Amino acid sequence: MAPAMNNGSSSEAASSSSTSASAHSSNGTSSNPNANNNARQPYAEDETDDELDLLGGDDPLSDNPDLLAEPEPLSFKKRNKQKRGGVGLGILGQPSRLLTALTGGNNHRPSSEQHRRSPLPSGGGTRLDALAGITSKNGDGNGFPLDWYVEGPGRRVGYEDLTAIDWIFEYTKERQRLRVLYSSATGLVGYVKQFLDSSQVWIILVLTGLAVGALAAAIDVTTDWLGDMKFGYCSNIDGGAFYLSKGFCCLGYDEHSKCMGWRPWSNALGITSAGGKWFIEYFFFLLLSMTFALSASILVKEYAIYAKHSGIPEIKTVLGGFIIRRFLSVWTLVTKSLGLVLAVASGMWLGKEGPLVHVACCCANLFIKLFPNINNNEARKREVLSAAAASGISVAFGSPIGGVLFSLEQLSYYFPDKTMWQSFVCAMTAAVMLQALDPFRSGKLVLYQVTYSSGWHGFELVPFALLGILGGVYGGLFIKANMKVAQWKKSNPSWLPGPVTQVAIVACLTALINYPNHYMRAQSSELVSNLFSECARLLDDQFGLCKTGAATAGTIVLLIFAAVLGFFLAAITFGLQIPAGIILPSMAIGALSGRAVGIVMEIWQRNHPGFIAFQSCEPDIPCITPGTYAIIGAAATLAGVTRMTVSIVVIMFELTGALTYVLPIMVAVMISKWVGDAFSRRGIYESWIHFNEYPFLDNSEDMTLSIPDIPASQIMTRIEDLVVLTATGHTIASLTAILETGHPYRGFPVVSDPRDAILLGYISRAELAYNLRVATQPPRSLPPETEAFFSHQPLADPRTTLDLRPWMDQTPLTLPSRSRLHLAVSYFQKLGLRYVLFSDKGVLQGLLTKKDVWYVLNGADETRRTAGGDDGNIIGSSGRLGTQTGVAREHGDGEQAGLLHGVGGGDDPTSPGADAASIL
């Protein structure tokens, strides 16, 4: 049996055996070109739809005769120029040099590259057989076989669902691939290969931008058509057709009320009485709203459960290094697009801007599959997804620069300079495509673009600041209300109806409330467009905001009433099982309240023109423009909900063209964020990440300030609480027994022996289980009593033993056990680690996992408060009982079983957050 230091709990506990495999970090690099082959070893069934990425090097057990040719080791020494007579020769110096330069051949290798290991012995043996036979000259100097695995980069099995990626291993693998590419690709052909390799990312981004622009145009047109269908249809009069929206049906009319081609449902049914018209149109509005919402919910439930919600919390988590299979699949893309059209057309208080970011990432993931070099590297894939996310906001608002900043400020976990440039290209391509298709037939990217004939005055900074305060209060209250609703639904699952029924109830309630209030009756995009408009330039006043006598107390009350109702409807809608964003509803609520404040200012200035603050107004020009207050109110509420700053300011002035009002927008956004942060540091997306228990470690300064000033030893799982493997003394049967004992450990530190406990490396459960399974199956078919080891055994026969070193992380990141927790957390945040081992003078002391850090930074106090009873049992996110013995060791003692054991869990595959916190 393999020695187990202690059978106590480990902080690497997993919640489910089905998700127990995970790849672990390797920060070692290797000059071995064999490492670049990355032949992928299957651990679970291969699903072609999405995220199961299988990593690793070439299989040393392969009988492929092509592998018998020993590769030449790479050399990174500077090559000496070949000279003749002290003068360097160009490629035209000899006829053969031209051919050599074109084909990349090299007939003259420096002496430093001529060293090769001895040729492998013939006889048809495997690579391991051959490597074991290399002795004396290429061995360790004592006649022992060469320890080839010391040079190996390590191998990995695939990432399973709901596990974190190994950033260091991924970037190491990419560096090795590039070394091989650039060392072997010389001459003209080599430069072509390098160019083609470098252009893959740009091809993906351009294709993604084109696809997102086309999809956004189709979603806009279809949404307008279905949304208008709730009120009527386009007849054949004046060349109309049933499939046209009201805007296209009445194209050319300044006022849609004069359009003859558009027929309301009451006219189509021949109803002439005023009461009958109101009732039948109310009925059709209610019926079609519920039909669209139910259709969207059923689509999500039956075809792609990950198409629900906005997708931005999940995208932030994925970009942070988490695997959520099928989240970016083709079915998710199709379902999200269709469901988004139906959900927005239903008139519920939700938006399409956030879901369009998810759509953009799905498109990018689809094109990534065309290029294995990127598809097989999870780190590079996330760089491309970060850039692609910008195109979603670009087409949603017609704001390419705002999209880049949105990706930088809100989404990306790792955003180097090259990613910003890639984001710019993708966002620009998507905007150009949307502009070319021109779905609104207005020559503009979006429906909201407005211009103002007058600027703002200094005294207006006071009401602008007031709107900032209101936006911050709205954001803080909305997040709390939305989270309370989500918590209530989560804590009462037994008697609540199903998700489809919940959507039907909310859709019915929304339609019943929306129709009587003509501000809420229209689509949110039309409402925001009219609220932003200046009366002097508005041709079709659908809401009567600009008619004579509209600036009254009654209008103000209706606007505020609509904003309050929208607040509550959005709070219960965001979180339902349909595609739904929160950006547009927040903007609509802010625009309603902002327009109300603008009308108040307009009435005040009109009735008291001699007031000292109004003396700067020009006599013949309207002093107050209520539409500008709507823009600033929308920006303030959006900042209060999302806690973004720079990107919101850029989006708003790109969206509206109101460049003159950048300073007031900045003032309102700044104040809104300050007020919102007084309620909670988390924005709406971070709140949902925390609610779902996604393992996302924020890099923000606010999160860093919450790190307790304690030694890491008070948080880590100590060696006596771990199952530790020794370097030798194992058999396949004993290691299998350890895996089958039921311990949910994610991996095992490897030490020299139980007495000294010198750290040698770390092997994850996934790699160990895979190797034991493969070794006992053909072609090797090793018996259970076969010896297995983790250190170099010079006399071991590779045909009758199992060497596990290639699958062990031989260079894990370590810290002294006296290190402060702040330093350890910085390792996890900056390097994307999954675990850190602590040692003193090489002796293993303990282990700290990403899950431990997540709970320390994201609710250790809450976890303690929810603990039930003296035994420390708590209920995980899905209701399964777990064990919690403490948060931190006070004065160095107390906890005996690690930080978290069995927390989380859940059998609902539709809720990744249920297992996310415990599957790292």
Side-chain angles (χ1 to χ4, degrees), residues 568-684:
F568 288 106
L569 290 176
I572 63 175
T573 301
F574 190 68
L576 294 176
Q577 194 169 287
I578 51 175
I582 195 57
I583 295 178
L584 187 58
S586 298
M587 290 178 60
I589 294 169
L592 286 167
S593 56
R595 188 86 184 199
V597 172
I599 294 176
V600 170
M601 293 296 298
E602 183 182 21
I603 295 174
W604 187 11
Q605 190 273 335
R606 185 181 59 200
N607 295 336
H608 302 86
F611 185 67
I612 186 173
F614 303 138
Q615 292 180 0
S616 59
C617 297
E618 294 81 357
D620 299 329
I621 299 176
C623 184
I624 303 295
T625 305
T628 62
Y629 288 77
I631 290 177
I632 292 168
T637 54
L638 191 55
V641 172
T642 63
R643 306 298 161 79
M644 296 186 298
T645 53
V646 179
S647 55
I648 288 181
V649 175
V650 175
I651 286 173
M652 292 308 296
F653 81 72
E654 280 191 290
L655 177 68
T656 61
L659 191 58
T660 309
Y661 287 84
V662 168
L663 182 59
I665 293 174
M666 292 176 67
V667 171
V669 166
M670 175 189 66
I671 295 176
S672 177
K673 177 171 174 55
W674 283 345
V675 175
D677 287 344
F679 285 86
S680 172
R681 291 287 183 178
R682 297 190 185 100
I684 185 65

Side-chain angles (χ1 to χ4, degrees), residues 221 224-225 228-229 232-264 439-441 526:
V221 172
D224 286 347
W225 173 54
D228 291 338
M229 191 180 291
Y233 68 97
C234 185
S235 63
N236 296 327
I237 301 176
D238 293 338
F242 179 77
Y243 55 82
L244 295 178
S245 64
K246 188 175 182 179
F248 283 108
C249 186
C250 301
L251 197 64
Y253 288 90
D254 290 339
E255 297 183 20
H256 288 175
S257 59
K258 298 180 180 179
C259 178
M260 301 299 296
W262 183 258
R263 299 192 64 187
F440 302 111
R441 292 297 182 266
E526 296 180 7

Side-chain angles (χ1 to χ4, degrees), residues 286-297:
L286 180 63
L287 176 65
L288 292 177
S289 295
M290 293 185 60
T291 301
F292 294 152
L294 278 173
S295 301
S297 181

Side-chain angles (χ1 to χ4, degrees), residues 401-457:
I401 303 300
V404 175
L405 293 176
F406 182 88
S407 179
L408 170 62
E409 186 175 2
Q410 181 62 248
L411 296 178
S412 298
Y413 185 84
Y414 176 66
F415 202 90
D417 292 340
K418 65 176 181 179
T419 305
M420 177 174 288
W421 169 231
Q422 292 168 359
S423 300
F424 178 82
V425 171
C426 190
M428 179 201 66
T429 306
V432 169
M433 185 66 178
L434 186 64
Q435 178 75 58
L437 295 175
D438 193 13
F440 302 111
R441 292 297 182 266
S442 61
K444 302 176 181 178
L445 279 175
V446 291
L447 193 63
Y448 315 119
Q449 288 186 353
V450 294
T451 55
Y452 297 108
S453 57
S454 61
W456 55 280
H457 304 84

Side-chain angles (χ1 to χ4, degrees), residues 775-794:
T776 56
Q777 295 177 353
R780 300 202 72 190
S781 301
L782 296 176
E785 62 272 12
T786 300
E787 180 185 0
F789 48 83
F790 297 92
S791 63
H792 181 45
Q793 303 298 311

Side-chain angles (χ1 to χ4, degrees), residues 8-67:
S9 302
S10 169
S11 62
E12 290 229 280
S15 64
S16 170
S17 61
S18 64
T19 52
S20 64
S22 155
H24 287 271
S25 300
S26 174
N27 64 346
T29 59
S30 172
S31 61
N32 182 7
N34 252 357
N36 185 61
N37 292 338
N38 294 322
R40 305 194 304 174
Q41 308 296 341
Y43 179 74
E45 65 274 10
D46 184 19
E47 293 193 22
T48 59
D49 58 352
D50 204 21
E51 294 286 343
L52 183 57
D53 234 330
L54 303 175
L55 311 174
D58 53 326
D59 189 352
L61 305 179
S62 175
D63 291 324
N64 189 343
D66 296 337
L67 298 178

